[in-house]
Amino acid sequence: MSDSQFIIKPRWIIPMDGKKTTLEQHVVIVDAGVIQAVVPKNEIPEWAIDWETIDCSQHALLPGLINLHAHSSMNLLKGYADDYALMPWLNDHIWPAERQWVSKPFVHDGSLLAGAEMLSGGITTFNDMYFFPQATIEAVKRLGMRAHIGLVIMEFPTNYANNANEYIRLGTEVRDQFKSDAGISFSFAPHAPYTVSDQTFEQISTLAEQLNMGIHTHLHETRAEIQQSLDEFGVRPIERLKALGILGPSTVCAHGVHLEPAELEMLATQGTHIAHCPCSNLKLASGIAPVAAALRAGLNVGLGTDGAASNNRLDLWQEMRTAALLAKVADDNAESVPAYTALEMATINGAQALGLQDKIGSIEPGKQADLIAVRLDDLNSLPCYDPISHLVYVAGREQVTHTWVDGQLRYQRTEEGQAVFADIDTEELRSIALQWQLKIQSSQS
């Protein structure tokens, strides 16, 4: 699954070039993990004529999807505590479970399961935020995908660290160890305004500038969070973060559900990015983010799944469709967030938010060959008048048949429907999941 020189021949190419382009009768030529050319199929250069050809004649080819907000290892708590609002969910269920179970093996195994789920659904890059980041990196490297690792920081003790300074020290040590790895990048991840002090935020702002790192945090996810900030600090969380130097062009704010028009304008002026997580926001009854207004204000909005404990799927196809439909209702305008915009949110917008837009997020010569093929000839996808529309409103993750990262085929769904990963067997993944399920269930009885 690793030939370095090959040509992909799809029915359609959706390059995500900002021009709403759909290419037919074209091919993508890949060498050593890099896209060399996108040309009509009858104009393949002589130097590539004899290269291996991959037939995707019933497929749309598009850039790998980018999950802009995830807590990957929480896959092991998928379905553990459903149907609660955010703060009861955290305080009464998730944080107690994490105190009991979170460890390097938990994070490694949960990240392995999450990464496999994401790869099988066409996600090639994810922006993570969790404890024991080295364990996540080890899982990511085994799967061969790309990850932006958020080095989580809080004030209170967990199984990972005892205080904010220790979180920062442990995180920067991991960053120093893996900073030269081409598939791994880093940001500081202060968890949220309600778990991080002013002093720590100021320290993070300084360190991020010194180390040329981004920042990844939760912001305005619930009304309760905003009221708590008003009661404690006299300002809304976004005002506090601005004053502390947290907002800027290298900052990704997850959720942004409850943002006022003036706050959207301010974030756009700052160049801050939003990771919209519609399914998690709906499941936790956190609210509906003003995405159409954010886009009109000039904000860069990407899509995230959040963790599987609050979603419960790491499925950007579901997020794209939900984001587009919710925006239309919230904005009272059927033209809000059309299909192409939803695809941008899942691809190039996420790349831009992570500072990786020159490397991934679109199909262009010189970029890394992070690519996915989506089959659109099954009965449920016919007829197909517009592949862009179908990718958002019809297709599901089960229609992803090929996932390449750096030109390496990391996942393939066979004609018989079998999931095949490049470097791990599905039975090993199944065994890992069932072992953890048995451990956690037995502790509850």
Side-chain angles (χ1 to χ4, degrees):
M1 302 178 79
S2 61
D3 289 342
S4 63
Q5 296 179 327
F6 58 93
I7 300 170
I8 308 174
K9 292 186 175 182
R11 181 171 179 183
W12 301 282
I13 298 173
I14 316 296
M16 303 311 301
D17 56 3
K19 303 173 185 176
K20 303 182 181 179
T21 304
T22 300
L23 299 175
E24 295 189 64
Q25 307 297 319
H26 278 62
V27 300
V28 174
I29 303 174
V30 176
D31 184 15
V34 177
I35 298 168
Q36 300 297 321
V38 181
V39 297
K41 68 178 185 179
N42 58 355
E43 296 180 16
I44 297 173
E46 186 175 344
W47 47 265
I49 283 289
D50 295 327
W51 289 9
E52 176 193 4
T53 297
I54 299 172
D55 178 24
C56 292
S57 57
Q58 303 301 324
H59 299 67
L61 189 74
L62 60 154
L65 306 184
I66 298 170
N67 185 352
L68 195 54
H69 179 62
H71 310 287
S72 60
S73 54
M74 292 183 81
N75 238 48
L76 291 178
L77 296 175
K78 181 186 295 184
Y80 177 82
D82 287 335
D83 305 322
Y84 296 98
L86 175 64
M87 295 318 296
W89 177 77
L90 279 174
N91 289 320
D92 301 336
H93 301 278
I94 296 303
W95 283 342
E98 288 180 329
R99 283 193 291 271
Q100 183 172 2
W101 292 110
V102 169
S103 61
K104 286 183 180 179
F106 178 98
V107 172
H108 175 272
D109 290 352
S111 297
L112 203 60
L113 290 167
E117 180 178 349
M118 286 189 274
L119 277 176
S120 69
I123 296 170
T124 53
T125 301
F126 66 99
N127 184 27
D128 207 43
M129 178 195 289
Y130 210 64
F131 313 107
F132 298 104
Q134 182 171 346
T136 297
I137 293 169
E138 290 168 356
V140 165
K141 288 172 72 68
R142 181 174 181 189
L143 290 165
M145 62 192 307
R146 200 181 301 279
H148 189 84
I149 302 295
L151 306 172
V152 72
I153 301 161
M154 298 174 168
E155 301 297 336
F156 57 83
T158 63
N159 298 354
Y160 172 56
N162 291 313
N163 53 56
N165 285 333
E166 189 173 5
Y167 284 103
I168 291 170
R169 178 180 64 78
L170 291 172
T172 52
E173 287 175 357
V174 171
R175 179 257 183 188
D176 290 345
Q177 181 179 353
F178 291 98
K179 65 182 179 181
S180 61
D181 192 303
I184 304 295
S185 51
F186 293 92
S187 62
F188 287 112
H191 173 259
Y194 54 87
T195 55
V196 178
S197 69
D198 284 4
Q199 180 181 359
T200 299
F201 270 129
E202 289 175 338
Q203 185 178 0
I204 291 166
S205 176
T206 299
L207 283 171
E209 185 173 356
Q210 289 174 344
L211 299 176
N212 192 29
M213 289 173 59
I215 295 173
H216 178 196
T217 190
H218 297 87
L219 180 67
H220 285 214
E221 185 173 359
T222 66
R223 292 186 179 90
E225 169 196 337
I226 295 170
Q227 188 58 53
Q228 179 184 348
S229 180
L230 288 168
D231 293 342
E232 184 174 353
F233 299 100
V235 295
R236 288 162 64 89
I238 191 171
E239 297 174 65
R240 183 170 158 239
L241 294 194
K242 182 186 178 186
L244 295 170
I246 294 299
L247 305 179
S250 298
T251 298
V252 175
C253 293
H255 303 297
V257 175
H258 302 284
L259 290 168
E260 302 292 338
E263 293 170 337
L264 295 173
E265 296 286 348
M266 184 268 283
L267 286 174
T269 300
Q270 295 282 329
T272 301
H273 313 272
I274 293 292
H276 178 38
C277 305
C279 292
S280 177
N281 296 157
L282 289 172
K283 186 166 181 284
L284 295 169
S286 298
I288 300 174
V291 170
L295 292 169
R296 283 195 295 268
L299 265 164
N300 181 54
V301 181
L303 284 177
T305 59
D306 211 353
S310 67
N311 186 312
N312 299 7
R313 299 159 63 99
L314 306 183
D315 181 356
L316 276 190
W317 304 94
Q318 190 177 64
E319 302 298 334
M320 277 192 282
R321 186 171 192 270
T322 303
L325 298 181
L326 273 180
K328 297 173 192 306
V329 172
D331 203 41
D332 195 24
N333 180 0
E335 296 182 11
S336 293
V337 186
Y340 189 82
T341 299
L343 272 177
E344 286 183 313
M345 291 164 66
T347 55
I348 190 62
N349 289 12
Q352 183 179 340
L354 300 178
L356 297 173
Q357 68 273 18
D358 294 333
K359 190 173 186 177
I360 58 173
S362 62
I363 301 178
E364 299 178 74
K367 287 197 173 185
Q368 298 304 118
D370 288 14
L371 304 165
I372 60 173
V374 185
R375 189 154 197 158
L376 293 178
D377 69 336
D378 67 298
L379 185 60
N380 293 335
S381 299
L382 297 175
C384 180
Y385 303 109
D386 178 356
I388 291 175
S389 171
H390 262 37
L391 288 168
V392 174
Y393 296 125
V394 177
R397 60 182 177 178
E398 68 281 357
Q399 291 167 245
V400 175
T401 61
H402 301 70
T403 301
W404 292 271
V405 182
D406 278 335
Q408 301 293 308
L409 186 57
R410 294 301 182 182
Y411 167 81
Q412 184 173 10
R413 182 177 291 274
T414 67
E415 290 288 343
E416 297 74 31
Q418 182 182 5
V420 179
F421 295 93
D423 296 304
I424 192 167
D425 186 77
T426 54
E427 287 307 310
E428 181 182 348
L429 293 167
R430 186 187 305 276
S431 176
I432 289 169
L434 293 176
Q435 286 174 22
W436 278 103
Q437 179 182 338
L438 183 62
K439 286 181 188 179
I440 293 171
Q441 278 185 327
S442 63
S443 73
Q444 294 175 298
S445 57

